[in-house]
Amino acid sequence: GDRPNLYRNDGGNANHWLRLRTVGTTSNRDGIGARIRITAGGRTQTEDVRPQSSFLSTNDPRLLFGLGAATRVESIEVRWPSGRVEEFRNLRAGRGYTCVEGKGIAESGF
């Protein structure tokens, strides 16, 4: 029942990011439950793919990582619910990627 908030970015977009979508083959279709660990610029971040929804709404299942000044992602480790572990190296920042269980990772246009 509160008023909505409107946020505006006055600081620009000087920092970098990485967006990751998971697609399961042996695991569930959306890779829900997968644990993603990325290393970029000497920092490591971990995030789980998990559903977020409520009545008549849902959140974006893709993961978004803030990379600061790092222009490359040194490594991405994906631990799938099936137990499979995959690792990908040397990816460009400022891109979206889709990781398909057992088939690799590719740049996405999302």
Side-chain angles (χ1 to χ4, degrees):
D2 288 341
R3 292 181 181 175
N5 292 320
L6 176 64
Y7 296 99
R8 187 174 73 187
N9 180 3
D10 291 329
N13 295 317
N15 289 318
H16 301 282
W17 53 272
L18 176 103
R19 184 172 287 137
L20 186 66
R21 176 178 170 233
T22 55
V23 176
T25 55
T26 304
S27 300
N28 60 79
R29 179 187 65 189
D30 293 323
I32 293 170
R35 175 162 284 180
I36 313 298
R37 186 175 72 193
I38 71 160
T39 302
R43 291 182 25 201
T44 299
Q45 301 176 58
T46 303
E47 186 69 43
D48 294 335
V49 179
R50 56 188 182 276
Q52 302 276 331
S53 63
S54 63
F55 182 69
L56 297 178
S57 70
T58 187
N59 289 343
D60 191 344
R62 300 172 297 179
L63 300 179
L64 180 64
F65 295 93
L67 306 178
T71 59
R72 298 200 78 71
V73 176
E74 294 141 24
S75 70
I76 297 176
E77 179 186 270
V78 181
R79 292 186 173 273
W80 295 96
S82 67
R84 179 189 297 261
V85 178
E86 296 178 288
E87 188 168 352
F88 309 100
R89 296 192 170 278
N90 199 26
L91 299 165
R92 294 187 302 172
R95 304 279 190 270
Y97 293 91
T98 298
C99 179
V100 179
E101 184 178 15
K103 297 186 179 177
I105 192 167
E107 194 170 320
S108 302
F110 60 82

